[in-house]
Amino acid sequence: MELTDRVVRIVHVPEAGLLAADVTGRIHLLDENLHVIRSSAAPTGSVTAGHAPVYTVTAAGDWVVGRDKRGTLLRWRLDTLDLVDVLDADRTANRAELLEGEEPSPVMSRGITVHQGKVYMNNGYRQMAVLDLETFAVERIEPNFAGHVPLEWFCQDHPEIDAASDKAGRVFLGDLETLDFPTVVKADGGNIHRILYDSLHDRFWATQDDGVDENNNIANGVLTLDAEGNVTGQLLLARDDVEFLAFSPDQRTVYVGGFDGVLHLLDNSTPELKVASTVSGFSHQLTDFAVADDGTIYTLTQDGDIRRLTADGTRILARAPFRRQCVWDVQPSVDDPAELYAATDDGVAVLSVVADGLGEPHLDLRAHHTHDLGFTRRVVPLPGGWAGVTRDQWVFRADRDGTVLWRRRLDALAHTVAGSPDHTRLLACHNDGVDELDAKTGELIARLDIGRASAWTGCYLPTGERVIGSSTGLISVYAADRDEVLREFDTEEYPKRMWAESPDALIISGENGVKRLALADGGITHRWTELLDNTVENGVLLGNTVYAVSYGCQLGAFDRESTEITALVEDLPDFAKALTAVPFGDEYVLVVGGRGGWIRLFRPAGEGRKAALTRVRDLLLPRQRTTP
């Protein structure tokens, strides 16, 4: 039996198997060989549950309990995975503490625990919900000791002190039953996804997403704390989010991994923090991890690939049956504006938007050209074809038939590639800097060193200058033909994508929305971010409207000048990555694509359409034939 939807969380249940929660709200139980034993029922319209991913989940006794992204509280039977209880997010709250008209806030957080027959987790309003495990009755709703910040992890392994962490980089030490956590430690600038107690050395371990001080958005890893909350050690081992840490059964090995896609095995036989070995070669970012009773390990990557490995991570014992797909980028062809190039998990798809018999827009899949270079992260239209960059560190160029004309391997993990206005040069941004390549041959033209930070995005100005956005939010404008920084602006917000609106302004998506940066003085003239949850992946400016997609599976529309939100779609199938506007008759249509291989067409407001955004239809690209 095949897993049909991307898994977003895994939890090992002793003597039962591996629980896997997917993006649709279903949960599955897998055996040690990662065969599906059983699955919960498919979501239907008859219950409130479903249609939202379950990131918050744990098992205790006869039950599996959790919360979906929208705040619905859920309980399943472990032996059958039958859904038994559904508590609506809008009603499971202390309404006296809410603002007038306040609605549940969607969030991807993982904080849940069961203690002495009670379930503790945030509700849909980020308050603390305490429920009875056996009846699932709400016992009390208390203020969240983390304020309005979602809780990310609980740890109750210390004999006297309970610990928790949140999405604002804080560690809390105190007592879970009273919800009194007097010791608060600011340990990171972002999420602390896991905190664990190390009984061998009487200390807590915590992950970091961002790093702190001079290492913020440059280097991060794990740190240790004593029972008083003092930081006793730190090990910097990553350039991107660290998603998990876990102990081997004897606690002598600590497993750490995250968005860099590297599994680190730390030697915990002594108090010194040191890496014993690393494992790479995963298909994508590492997002979750579990340890089995026998010490073998399970890894989950963001594309839904689940593996069971030997304890040292060197040998694959099993892989869950799942076929991945994602649409990372969609760009119009240089040769034919009606033709689109879509960067996918296994290549580049060629599409066009045409009118159907009713005059509505229809997506025509003309071809899907696959390659063996890793998933295509970005695509750049060029005369006669396209260039692309892959997670496996390749920059390549292909003709319109998909034939790869050249390929060049980068020295580090790649993030983006951008083309010059005259189509002769390419900027390849990666963890160790920027390579400028000849678009015709792939030969190296120049190399830009931006220091310790990663080059996360780049573009050319219409006048040829090169612009680089670092992981710290530093925007640097380089001369077109020499290694000289002409201007530099520190936005202090990490970017995801960037392009030139004009010779004098940039549009940047990423942390805190989409913004317009004036190159004359570095001022932010506009910011479009209202109601968007999490990082904004991409944006497009179309007339008087700005559109943006976020990691909250949202598509938002904003008035360009006032920046006020005019429409919000929150039921996208999964993470949205690609966004572009395509001419269609006298109007435009929006093309949105994302993880799962979906492409959704929207028509903006127009004659005969009352809604600011009208969904027209979806196209699902073919998934890979086998597990990646």
Side-chain angles (χ1 to χ4, degrees):
M1 179 179 174
E2 183 179 76
L3 290 166
T4 58
D5 297 285
R6 184 174 69 93
V7 168
V8 297
R9 285 280 283 118
I10 56 174
V11 176
H12 179 258
V13 183
E15 301 180 1
L18 188 72
L19 276 177
D22 73 23
V23 72
T24 73
R26 298 179 72 191
I27 58 172
H28 314 269
L29 186 66
L30 313 181
D31 65 16
E32 64 178 10
N33 294 314
L34 297 180
H35 297 143
V36 179
I37 301 173
R38 67 182 62 91
S39 301
S40 64
T44 70
S46 61
V47 293
T48 308
H51 312 288
V54 174
Y55 290 95
T56 312
V57 62
T58 192
D62 298 330
W63 305 102
V64 179
V65 291
R67 187 197 67 240
D68 73 15
K69 180 187 164 187
R70 297 175 186 165
T72 306
L73 308 186
L74 309 159
R75 185 175 69 146
W76 300 262
R77 289 190 60 89
L78 177 60
D79 58 350
T80 63
L81 296 191
D82 290 337
L83 181 62
V84 176
D85 285 283
V86 179
L87 300 182
D88 185 80
D90 191 49
R91 305 309 307 170
T92 313
N94 180 354
R95 305 200 67 81
E97 301 297 325
L98 303 181
L99 299 174
E100 183 178 354
E102 185 175 352
E103 297 180 355
S105 301
V107 66
M108 295 181 294
S109 64
R110 313 178 197 183
I112 186 171
T113 191
V114 178
H115 176 65
Q116 295 188 355
K118 309 300 178 188
V119 184
Y120 296 80
M121 58 182 158
N122 286 148
N123 63 6
Y125 297 92
R126 304 180 185 180
Q127 300 167 330
M128 281 301 305
V130 183
L131 299 87
D132 182 81
L133 176 64
E134 296 302 324
T135 66
F136 217 52
V138 178
E139 292 207 345
R140 54 194 169 115
I141 302 291
E142 301 282 358
N144 185 6
F145 55 83
H148 197 59
V149 179
L151 292 169
E152 190 66 5
W153 205 258
F154 290 96
C155 173
Q156 297 162 264
D157 295 329
H158 190 282
E160 298 176 352
I161 300 171
D162 298 323
S165 64
D166 71 2
K167 295 179 77 67
R170 294 176 295 180
V171 171
F172 302 85
L173 303 177
D175 182 75
L176 182 66
E177 289 187 41
T178 63
L179 297 178
D180 181 24
F181 289 85
T183 301
V184 182
V185 182
K186 181 67 171 175
D188 189 50
N191 293 293
I192 294 185
H193 290 299
R194 291 200 186 183
I195 178 167
L196 299 178
Y197 175 65
D198 176 0
S199 61
L200 287 184
H201 306 296
D202 189 26
R203 59 187 178 183
F204 291 99
W205 288 69
T207 62
Q208 293 180 304
D209 258 15
D210 294 355
V212 295
D213 300 329
E214 70 275 8
N215 293 313
N216 184 47
N217 283 328
I218 295 176
N220 54 287
V222 293
L223 51 80
T224 57
L225 308 95
D226 63 22
E228 287 73 44
N230 301 304
V231 175
T232 58
Q234 183 181 39
L235 183 62
L236 300 177
L237 46 72
R239 305 286 291 267
D240 209 338
D241 298 4
V242 174
E243 293 290 299
F244 60 78
L245 65 86
F247 292 128
S248 62
D250 62 4
Q251 291 196 338
R252 294 187 178 276
T253 300
V254 182
Y255 299 97
V256 180
F259 283 3
D260 284 345
V262 177
L263 178 64
H264 301 266
L265 282 69
L266 279 57
D267 180 0
N268 196 39
S269 59
T270 67
E272 180 187 0
L273 305 185
K274 56 185 177 181
V275 176
S277 62
T278 60
V279 180
S280 57
F282 296 96
S283 60
H284 197 0
Q285 299 168 334
L286 288 162
T287 55
D288 211 353
F289 185 89
V291 179
D293 300 329
D294 62 359
T296 57
I297 58 177
Y298 298 97
T299 60
L300 171 68
T301 47
Q302 195 190 86
D303 54 6
D305 181 32
I306 307 174
R307 305 182 185 185
R308 178 172 170 248
L309 307 171
T310 53
D312 61 3
T314 59
R315 187 161 60 93
I316 300 174
L317 301 176
R319 300 178 82 166
F322 176 69
R323 294 176 296 126
R324 67 174 182 173
Q325 189 54 282
C326 183
V327 178
W328 289 93
D329 196 15
V330 174
Q331 297 292 338
S333 164
V334 170
D335 305 306
D336 180 0
E339 188 171 78
L340 300 173
Y341 300 140
T344 71
D345 268 351
D346 50 356
V348 174
V350 182
L351 311 107
S352 60
V353 178
V354 297
D356 64 13
L358 298 175
E360 292 292 331
H362 166 74
L363 271 172
D364 179 28
L365 177 60
R366 297 184 179 179
H368 193 177
H369 302 292
T370 61
H371 54 62
D372 60 354
L373 305 177
F375 73 73
T376 312
R377 190 170 176 86
R378 300 285 188 269
V379 63
V380 175
L382 295 171
W386 61 83
V389 66
T390 75
R391 184 173 174 85
D392 288 2
Q393 301 176 204
W394 290 103
V395 181
F396 68 96
R397 181 167 182 172
D399 62 21
R400 293 183 71 182
D401 294 327
T403 302
V404 176
L405 304 176
W406 58 258
R407 64 179 70 182
R408 182 182 183 90
R409 188 168 176 83
L410 302 174
D411 293 338
L413 185 67
H415 297 289
T416 196
V417 65
S420 63
D422 61 2
H423 310 300
T424 63
R425 295 177 290 162
L426 298 170
L427 277 182
C429 300
H430 52 81
N431 273 354
D432 287 350
V434 183
D435 290 352
E436 187 174 36
L437 308 178
D438 184 295
K440 184 177 181 179
T441 65
E443 294 299 313
L444 183 67
I445 298 174
R447 179 162 288 164
L448 304 178
D449 182 0
I450 67 167
R452 294 178 61 220
S454 301
W456 275 17
T457 189
C459 70
Y460 288 89
L461 295 181
T463 45
E465 292 90 345
R466 301 160 294 177
V467 187
I468 308 302
S470 81
S471 55
T472 66
L474 184 67
I475 307 299
S476 304
V477 181
Y478 286 79
D481 55 359
R482 60 190 184 279
D483 188 4
E484 178 186 354
V485 177
L486 304 178
R487 285 163 287 179
E488 209 162 54
F489 311 106
D490 191 357
T491 69
E492 299 183 351
E493 297 170 339
Y494 61 83
K496 295 291 289 186
R497 310 201 190 203
M498 178 171 66
W499 62 96
E501 181 192 34
S502 69
D504 304 315
L506 297 173
I507 305 297
I508 305 170
S509 69
E511 186 178 9
N512 295 326
V514 180
K515 56 181 175 280
R516 182 181 184 274
L517 177 74
L519 291 175
D521 58 6
I524 305 299
T525 65
H526 299 74
R527 184 186 296 276
W528 304 278
T529 190
E530 184 182 359
L531 297 183
L532 294 182
D533 173 48
N534 214 306
T535 303
V536 170
E537 171 72 25
N538 207 343
V540 64
L541 279 62
L542 184 58
N544 295 323
T545 305
V546 175
Y547 299 94
V549 290
S550 79
Y551 274 86
C553 300
Q554 300 165 303
L555 167 64
F558 302 84
D559 181 82
R560 181 165 179 161
E561 289 306 315
S562 72
T563 72
E564 292 181 357
I565 191 164
T566 58
L568 183 64
V569 176
E570 294 192 280
D571 62 349
L572 298 179
D574 202 341
F575 293 149
K577 303 287 185 180
L579 177 63
T580 193
V582 179
F584 184 72
D586 296 332
E587 302 177 329
Y588 281 82
V589 293
L590 283 181
V591 181
V592 186
R595 181 151 298 289
W598 57 271
I599 303 177
R600 181 166 290 180
L601 292 182
F602 289 89
R603 299 198 76 170
E607 185 177 351
R609 294 187 298 276
K610 296 181 180 180
L613 284 168
T614 301
R615 173 185 171 185
V616 179
R617 65 189 303 152
D618 291 358
L619 173 71
L620 281 300
L621 295 184
R623 297 186 180 190
Q624 292 190 340
R625 290 187 175 89
T626 60
T627 301

